[in-house]
Amino acid sequence: MPYLHINQSPLIPGVNPVKIFYREFGSGMPLLFLHGGWGYEIFPFDHQIAEFGHSFRILIPDRTGYGRSVRIEQLPPDFHAAAAVEAAAFLDALGIKRCVLWGHSDGAVIAAIMGITDPARYAGIIMEAFHYDRFKPRSREFFERMAKNPDSFSEHVRAMLARDHGADYWRTVLRCGGQAWLEIAETAHLPERDLFGQRLAELQVAAILIHGRKDPRTEPDELDRVKMLLPRVPIYVLESGEHAPHCEPETANECNRLAGQFLRQILQRQ
């Protein structure tokens, strides 16, 4: 698997160049996968690589602070916007002018920000396990656990995280992510209670949203607000899905079916 260097990243100010590890599969139109807040290995895109690698050039970078990319000691509360800048720089470094985005969890937020910022660059966006709210009271205990007691997670989860990020670093990944989300919640009193500075309705790129009905990171009326802001974006709620429908045994096939319909439409338009 290759590395590339980008000139700089707002996720790690003052470092130049920034070394990014990425995975590449298949051929065709570029399809950039943006992983969630625990990294790639815990919720891998194996089903999607097998399903779509014959039609798309699949690219899966480790964001700064994750996996085999450069490490960090803290994650800023505006990390979604910073990661959107980094992802665009990653595409620039590969000479990619136009692509499709598939973002999971934090990656879905990043994908939406990219689409709002530079709509002409993206042919389509799949947003999975989407976040809208800054304040997530049902998840506060979860974020505190990440930030203060990462060893409290199961042995299986700890082993997966260690395999992805390294036995000496995975705890830092969880602590950084948990602390960042706790800091995000502290700004929820601002008029911009959402993660998009009240700009989500500006998203004009063709998109779909795939979500698990049982997603524990979703507030009760969070998706309703997204529907109001994005009335033209189909929202598919998978009844047995949790936080990662793309790799859960009960939902992976249906997730691929829905994504496949959308991706075929994108290819037909090109």
Side-chain angles (χ1 to χ4, degrees), residues 163-179:
R163 186 174 71 183
D164 194 4
H165 310 296
D168 60 336
Y169 182 66
W170 69 267
R171 293 177 182 85
T172 299
V173 172
L174 261 62
R175 288 186 180 120
C176 286
Q179 185 59 41

Side-chain angles (χ1 to χ4, degrees), residues 3 41 43-44 136 174 198 270:
Y3 288 87
E41 293 289 348
F43 299 120
K136 289 177 171 281
L174 261 62
Q198 297 182 321
Q270 302 308 305

Side-chain angles (χ1 to χ4, degrees), residues 4 14 40 54 70 79-80 92 94 150 152 167 171 225 229 238:
L4 63 72
Y40 172 71
H54 62 283
V70 63
F79 73 87
H80 296 104
D92 290 342
L94 290 174
S152 66
R171 293 177 182 85
R225 290 193 294 281
L229 293 166
L238 306 188

Side-chain angles (χ1 to χ4, degrees), residues 196-234:
F196 305 93
Q198 297 182 321
R199 294 188 62 194
L200 184 60
E202 297 177 23
L203 182 65
Q204 298 299 313
V205 180
I208 63 170
L209 197 152
I210 299 174
H211 209 85
R213 177 75 69 185
K214 302 176 183 179
D215 192 334
R217 304 282 74 82
T218 304
E219 293 302 308
D221 58 349
E222 194 168 1
L223 279 186
D224 292 335
R225 290 193 294 281
V226 174
K227 289 178 183 178
M228 290 179 62
L229 293 166
L230 299 176
R232 293 182 296 177
V233 174

Side-chain angles (χ1 to χ4, degrees), residues 80-82 84-85 108-118 125 195-196 203:
H80 296 104
V85 173
V109 177
I110 295 164
I113 292 172
M114 294 170 73
I116 293 167
T117 303
D118 191 2
I125 303 176
L195 293 164
F196 305 93
L203 182 65

Side-chain angles (χ1 to χ4, degrees), residues 1-5 18-25 35 38-41 60-72 86 160-170 173:
M1 297 295 179
Y3 288 87
L4 63 72
H5 292 84
V18 177
K19 188 177 182 181
I20 301 292
F21 172 83
Y22 70 102
R23 305 157 187 83
E24 182 170 359
F25 308 91
H35 64 71
W38 280 25
Y40 172 71
E41 293 289 348
I60 312 174
D62 286 338
R63 283 198 302 277
T64 287
Y66 291 87
R68 282 173 269 186
S69 291
V70 63
R71 296 180 173 184
I72 58 177
E86 178 179 282
M160 295 280 288
L161 292 169
R163 186 174 71 183
D164 194 4
H165 310 296
D168 60 336
Y169 182 66
W170 69 267
V173 172

Side-chain angles (χ1 to χ4, degrees), residues 150-163 170-171:
D151 282 285
S152 66
F153 291 96
S154 72
E155 181 178 353
H156 173 71
V157 166
R158 297 197 307 268
M160 295 280 288
L161 292 169
R163 186 174 71 183
W170 69 267
R171 293 177 182 85

Side-chain angles (χ1 to χ4, degrees), residues 232 254 256:
R232 293 182 296 177
E254 179 64 5
N256 273 5

